[in-house]
Amino acid sequence: MSEAETLFAALRQSANGDVVEMLERMVRDAPDHALNKMNALDLAAREGLAEERVVAALLNAVALGIFEMTWNVMCLSCAGVLSANKSLKTLDRRQYSCAFCAAGYETTLDNLVEVTFTVSPRVRRIAAHSPDGLSVAEYYRQVFWSSAIDLPADLEKVLDEVTLESVDLPPGERAILSLNLPAGTLIVFDPVTHTAQFLDVSGGETNERQNLSVIFNKVQVPVETIALHPGPLRLTLENRTDSRVLPAVWMANQVLDNLLSRRKPILTAKRLLTNQTFRDLYRTDTLAIGQRLKILSLTFLFSDLKGSTELYERVGDLVAFDLVDEHFRLLQEIIVSERGAVVKTIGDAVMATFETPDRAIAAAIRMREAMSDLGAQRQHQSLRLKIGIHEGSCLAVTLNAQQDYFGQTVNIASRVQSLAASRSIVVTKSVVDNAQTQALLASNGLKPALKRVALSGIEDEVSVYEIS
């Protein structure tokens, strides 16, 4: 049995069989580019498989060494990868800039950071493992652009339609290009160093040769648009890096606009942090000590088992422990099925996160019913769950040697839970205002009741809604 066969046999012990079969088939038969920077959500859609099963299988495959995981900071405008990271620990800049789009972005995990998967060279070597050998079109496909852009199969042909001139420039070399500039906006761009120089070509046509020099190095500096006239240009390109660069003169035309507008869903860092498989596998190795990464919108659910102390006294430690343990098992099962993750348990309480408010509401409704069913089955009707939900911004941090969250959103969610009476779900306005939440509540015949309350540590009263 080969090493790959042994690894996939091990993967079958922890992942869905249909997904493992698909991944094994891809490693054996798929073209190189299909095994580089794999988009888990797109892969699930194309293969007709559940997203969470595909994500879980890929995460377990990373743990076994079959695939490698990359956290790509990407430009929201052109979908280019601004920084490729093997771990969240190296996302240490407050802002990332895209020279091609002349745009800057605050570092957040909501949609700026995608997570992709590439086959490990120990299982199969592919061209992307040696990117210096890739053609220009394949470098753009496999290295520069993120998995958010839906690139056409004939990418080389499309790039020809937007490229006025290009060159493969070895390290330390210089090239001189003679061009005849058309009117319009042109971009001298290199995808390796992410260097861009914009040219505004306008006015009357000239017969005199114009000159321009562009230097490629590891230092990115803001550059102003250069005004030129239509006509001849002597363009000097100098590579001062220790690797090849791939500069090209692009025309900002409709073909380029159409190419950059083709998008597909991605596995974001935020979604992965709310994935239970990820938390189980990487609980202590996600963020560096002292590192803080911002999330603009995350939904927190806190639950607590009402009257658990009295339960222990009434039925005895052994029976009570068994009930509480079963309660934890049921809650985690429901949270995971609604695409959430348990952050931690505190006594009889659970803290969980969800990517969107409607997922948390769906989980809360099911959790409440599950506790009623459990109480009925064990003849302990006193099993009542108090649940609070809030949505907002927060910081992803490391606390007590595991990935956790910090901020006012977490504080409010915890305090909202303390307002819940037996079997009630208390949520904040930001949760109820979510369109998917409203549709979910309506489909379940639930009408939230508004209350204004004071929360400890919060200066102003807040609006909360009780879902009885």
Side-chain angles (χ1 to χ4, degrees):
M1 184 180 287
S2 68
E3 182 181 19
E5 290 173 329
T6 301
L7 291 171
F8 276 108
L11 183 59
R12 285 187 176 85
Q13 305 303 311
S14 57
N16 176 265
D18 291 338
V19 180
V20 176
E21 181 181 344
M22 178 266 294
L23 294 175
E24 188 171 22
R25 184 177 67 251
M26 287 186 66
V27 168
R28 184 180 63 246
D29 302 328
D32 279 9
H33 68 81
L35 294 169
N36 179 54
K37 211 180 289 181
M38 295 163 62
N39 179 330
L41 305 192
D42 184 56
L43 184 60
R46 286 190 285 109
E47 296 290 335
L49 297 166
E51 290 179 354
E52 292 305 294
R53 288 182 174 180
V54 172
V55 172
L58 285 167
L59 289 171
N60 279 288
V62 170
L64 288 169
I66 301 173
F67 288 93
E68 297 173 345
M69 183 165 55
T70 306
W71 307 73
N72 300 312
V73 181
M74 64 181 198
C75 174
L76 301 180
S77 180
C78 71
V81 173
L82 307 178
S83 174
N85 304 270
K86 293 300 181 184
S87 166
L88 273 179
K89 293 179 179 180
T90 54
L91 266 72
D92 53 3
R93 290 157 56 184
R94 290 188 175 183
Q95 183 169 315
Y96 287 84
S97 299
C98 177
F100 182 77
C101 298
Y105 302 97
E106 181 187 14
T107 304
T108 63
L109 301 183
D110 298 72
N111 55 7
L112 190 70
V113 181
E114 66 160 4
V115 183
T116 60
F117 302 87
T118 297
V119 68
S120 169
R122 67 183 287 195
V123 175
R124 173 177 160 182
R125 286 206 63 84
I126 58 173
H129 291 145
S130 303
D132 280 353
L134 293 171
S135 67
V136 173
E138 285 305 310
Y139 189 92
Y140 274 102
R141 182 192 300 278
Q142 299 192 50
V143 180
F144 176 72
W145 271 311
S146 70
S147 71
I149 191 165
D150 188 10
L151 296 171
D154 60 344
L155 178 60
E156 187 170 6
K157 177 176 178 295
V158 174
L159 289 180
D160 283 344
E161 295 183 50
V162 304
T163 304
L164 195 62
E165 187 64 83
S166 66
V167 62
D168 189 328
L169 195 58
E173 294 293 316
R174 185 172 67 166
I176 299 175
L177 306 179
S178 295
L179 310 172
N180 193 51
L181 299 181
T185 299
L186 303 181
I187 311 167
V188 181
F189 181 67
D190 167 49
V192 181
T193 59
H194 288 236
T195 301
Q197 174 64 67
F198 286 81
L199 310 178
D200 178 17
V201 184
S202 59
E205 186 168 350
T206 181
N207 291 321
E208 293 185 12
R209 189 178 69 187
Q210 304 164 99
N211 292 283
L212 176 65
S213 177
V214 179
I215 296 172
F216 304 101
N217 53 38
K218 297 297 183 182
V219 180
Q220 288 191 20
V221 294
V223 291
E224 295 183 355
T225 299
I226 294 176
L228 295 171
H229 289 276
L233 171 70
R234 184 177 187 265
L235 177 61
T236 302
L237 305 171
E238 186 175 353
N239 181 5
R240 293 185 181 176
T241 75
D242 55 4
S243 62
R244 72 165 180 168
V245 294
L246 302 170
V249 182
W250 279 13
M251 297 173 284
N253 56 22
Q254 191 60 48
V255 175
L256 181 59
D257 289 343
N258 292 342
L259 176 65
L260 299 182
S261 66
R262 297 163 57 108
R263 298 302 169 91
K264 51 190 176 183
I266 59 169
L267 177 61
T268 64
K270 180 178 86 168
R271 176 164 176 180
L272 197 59
L273 291 184
T274 62
N275 178 279
Q276 192 65 53
T277 301
F278 175 80
R279 289 195 65 89
D280 291 343
L281 291 173
Y282 300 96
R283 184 176 299 276
T284 60
D285 191 36
T286 303
L287 300 172
I289 301 297
Q291 185 181 18
R292 301 180 296 274
L293 292 174
K294 189 173 182 179
I295 298 176
L296 297 177
S297 172
L298 194 64
T299 302
F300 292 87
L301 179 152
F302 281 83
S303 74
D304 195 15
L305 202 56
K306 181 177 174 59
S308 59
T309 302
E310 292 82 352
L311 177 68
Y312 276 85
E313 186 163 336
R314 190 174 65 256
V315 302
D317 289 350
L318 189 60
V319 174
F321 177 82
D322 180 54
L323 281 168
V324 172
D325 191 52
E326 180 67 3
H327 136 270
F328 279 132
R329 187 192 68 78
L330 287 171
L331 264 53
Q332 175 158 323
E333 185 178 277
I334 291 169
I335 290 166
V336 170
S337 69
E338 294 294 343
R339 272 185 20 201
V342 174
V343 178
K344 58 188 172 185
T345 59
I346 311 158
D348 299 328
V350 170
M351 173 185 174
T353 55
F354 296 83
E355 188 180 12
T356 55
D358 59 304
R359 294 283 182 175
I361 289 287
I365 294 170
R366 291 177 57 194
M367 289 160 65
R368 182 167 64 181
E369 297 308 313
M371 287 304 97
S372 292
D373 293 343
L374 179 61
Q377 290 168 11
R378 303 292 183 88
Q379 297 181 340
H380 294 290
Q381 297 296 333
S382 58
L383 286 179
R384 297 289 184 264
L385 205 61
K386 299 166 57 180
I387 301 173
I389 302 173
H390 180 48
E391 174 273 338
S393 63
C394 64
L395 296 175
V397 299
T398 294
L399 291 174
N400 299 320
Q402 67 176 10
Q403 194 261 309
D404 206 333
Y405 300 93
F406 178 83
Q408 190 73 310
T409 297
V410 183
N411 297 334
I412 292 175
S414 174
R415 287 167 183 149
V416 164
Q417 182 272 322
S418 68
L419 299 173
S422 175
R423 280 185 55 80
S424 71
I425 303 168
V426 177
V427 305
T428 56
K429 189 175 186 298
S430 61
V431 174
V432 169
D433 284 348
N434 177 267
Q436 288 74 30
T437 295
Q438 293 174 5
L440 179 64
L441 292 174
S443 67
N444 283 273
L446 298 172
K447 294 183 178 180
L450 172 64
K451 296 192 297 185
R452 293 284 296 175
V453 299
L455 296 178
S456 174
I458 308 299
E459 184 174 345
D460 298 323
E461 284 191 339
V462 299
S463 296
V464 299
Y465 296 80
E466 185 172 23
I467 305 171
S468 300

